[in-house]
Amino acid sequence: MGLMNKIVQKPRYIDIFAGCGGISLGLCNAGWEGIFAIEKDKMAFETLRFNLINHFDWPEWLPIREFDIKNLIALYQKELISLRGKVDLVVGGPPCQGFSMAGKRKSNDKRNKMVDLYIKFIYLVQPKFLFFENVYGFTVATKKRINQEEKIYSDYVVKKLTDLGYNIAFEIIDFSKFGIPQRRKRFILVGIRNGNSGEAKSFFSNLKKHKKEFLRKRGLSVTVSAKVAISDLERRHGIIQSEEMPKFNVGIYATPKSNYQKLLRQKIAENTTLPDSHRFTNHSEKIIEKFEYILKTSQRNKSIDESIKKRFNTKKRSVVALDKNKPSPTLTTLPDDYIHYLEPRILTVREYARLQSFDDSFQFKGKYTTGGKRRTKEVPRYTQIGNAIPPLFGEQVGLSFLYLWEKNFNKNDCK
């Protein structure tokens, strides 16, 4: 966009509910400097720390480890208040399961309380800008209990942040219209402290105005298909036994077949043959047979019909075979929801990451997946990616905020 040539002092941000660091990676690429990031899961924070710790100017008073935001606010309220006037942007997306259209959507879901902690954090720090991301269902009323009113949480958040002195604008954004190979609709809200309605709305107009030029400079189209994103990772290109986990095979890189693949591989060494986290699941013959049948008979990017579920006695709510010529559906935290567009298997962690636009140099830490009761408590690699904001979109977010920062605030007053 040409703006970075004008900036001497980098603007600074804090990432809360940071996950593995998807938006932080994007902001870093856009020229922002991180102060710190808050994430309560140990595995997700390990991934963020491994990849991004050098990007943060971490304060001495805050330990570099996983932290529950509730505990952070309780322990370091004075330190957070001392940051007023020194933080340009706070970004964050509170856990979304309580609002997801795929869930029960109860207004008393404990996870919905994270929204209040986000608002509390904004009150304490008072950044110049804020960015809030959540699922589309955030704009839809939750189910009420007896004698309770339905809640539309987007209305609640807008009111609370407006009361704190922020001018707010929000839209539903489909990431597949911004070069992400995934049809992923999200509620995006931005706020400017003591700003006006036109300035807040200009975030979205700038985002849309500059996306084609942003993508053109990287050799990308506005719409990217699943095949364009991951065809160099297909199993048929070759496998070897994993040194880390000998019971599993890992895939070998093929020559990049698209500009998207070249872009996401540009930070790795040219002689690299093994992508990070490209481990294939050991499917049984019965599972392979089922997947082969689904690939032959089912409509792509649509959940299998009831007849197929009965044929294979599956109780899964959704199983989708990807369409190679279109962006993938919204990735969830459950990898067995999706079947590769060509091969009878689920996607690898690296393929998941590609569809979320993480570059291949970004390494994921922790377990690959988990199950049972641990599913609600742990954030393994697939979950980290499924919960993330795509970094390529995060970079566009960062550039759009830079325009507002240049226009509204003296670039020398942020420290």
Side-chain angles (χ1 to χ4, degrees), residues 149-370:
E149 294 183 0
E150 291 183 326
K151 281 189 178 181
I152 299 178
Y153 268 84
S154 58
D155 292 346
Y156 174 78
V157 170
V158 168
K159 182 181 185 306
K160 289 291 186 180
L161 294 175
T162 300
D163 290 345
L164 292 181
Y166 288 88
N167 183 265
I168 301 298
F170 60 87
E171 290 189 15
I172 301 296
I173 296 291
D174 184 347
F175 293 163
S176 70
K177 296 180 180 179
F178 291 84
I180 311 301
Q182 183 186 168
R183 194 176 64 250
R184 191 180 185 93
K185 290 185 177 181
R186 286 296 186 266
F187 171 81
I188 303 295
L189 177 149
V190 300
I192 302 180
R193 187 169 178 79
N194 301 320
N196 61 55
S197 59
E199 289 172 331
K201 290 178 181 178
S202 70
F203 168 87
F204 292 101
S205 60
N206 284 332
L207 192 67
K208 296 169 186 175
K209 178 181 178 181
H210 295 289
K211 71 175 180 180
K212 288 185 179 180
E213 179 66 10
F214 172 87
L215 295 169
R216 185 193 65 78
K217 287 182 178 180
R218 291 154 181 77
L220 304 181
S221 302
V222 171
T223 302
V224 180
S225 70
K227 182 178 180 179
V228 165
I230 64 174
S231 64
D232 61 326
L233 299 173
E234 292 167 359
R235 185 184 176 105
R236 64 191 178 95
H237 298 312
I239 58 173
I240 64 171
Q241 186 181 53
S242 170
E243 293 184 2
E244 179 187 12
M245 301 176 181
K247 293 183 179 181
F248 292 90
N249 291 320
V250 295
I252 298 173
Y253 273 128
T255 302
K257 303 177 186 304
S258 68
N259 287 339
Y260 184 88
Q261 294 170 17
K262 291 176 183 177
L263 177 68
L264 269 62
R265 288 172 58 168
Q266 68 179 3
K267 293 182 182 178
I268 62 172
E270 290 186 10
N271 62 350
T272 302
T273 58
L274 300 178
D276 170 70
S277 300
H278 193 34
R279 188 195 79 177
F280 295 105
T281 299
N282 292 325
H283 294 307
S284 67
E285 291 185 7
K286 184 177 181 180
I287 294 296
I288 293 173
E289 178 187 347
K290 177 175 71 173
F291 286 173
E292 287 176 338
Y293 182 85
I294 291 172
L295 287 171
K296 289 178 182 178
T297 61
S298 294
Q299 185 178 355
R300 300 303 178 94
N301 279 4
K302 300 287 185 181
S303 184
I304 59 174
D305 61 35
E306 292 301 320
S307 64
I308 296 178
K309 290 181 181 180
K310 290 180 180 179
R311 179 188 180 98
F312 292 100
N313 192 29
T314 180
K315 295 181 180 180
K316 277 190 64 62
R317 183 174 181 272
S318 178
V319 178
V320 178
L322 299 187
D323 187 328
K324 67 179 181 180
N325 296 317
K326 296 180 180 179
S328 80
T330 302
L331 295 181
T332 69
T333 60
L334 304 175
D336 52 349
D337 282 354
Y338 310 98
I339 303 172
H340 190 276
Y341 57 80
L342 178 66
E343 300 172 343
R345 60 176 178 82
I346 66 170
L347 301 174
T348 67
V349 166
R350 179 49 53 189
E351 288 168 330
Y352 242 58
R354 280 279 190 87
L355 293 174
Q356 280 277 60
S357 78
F358 282 92
D359 67 73
D360 286 19
S361 67
F362 195 94
Q363 297 183 33
F364 295 92
K365 302 299 177 179
K367 299 177 182 178
Y368 275 73
T369 188
T370 190

Side-chain angles (χ1 to χ4, degrees), residues 84-98:
R84 290 178 179 177
K86 302 174 184 178
V87 180
D88 295 291
L89 171 66
V90 168
V91 297
C96 63
Q97 293 92 337

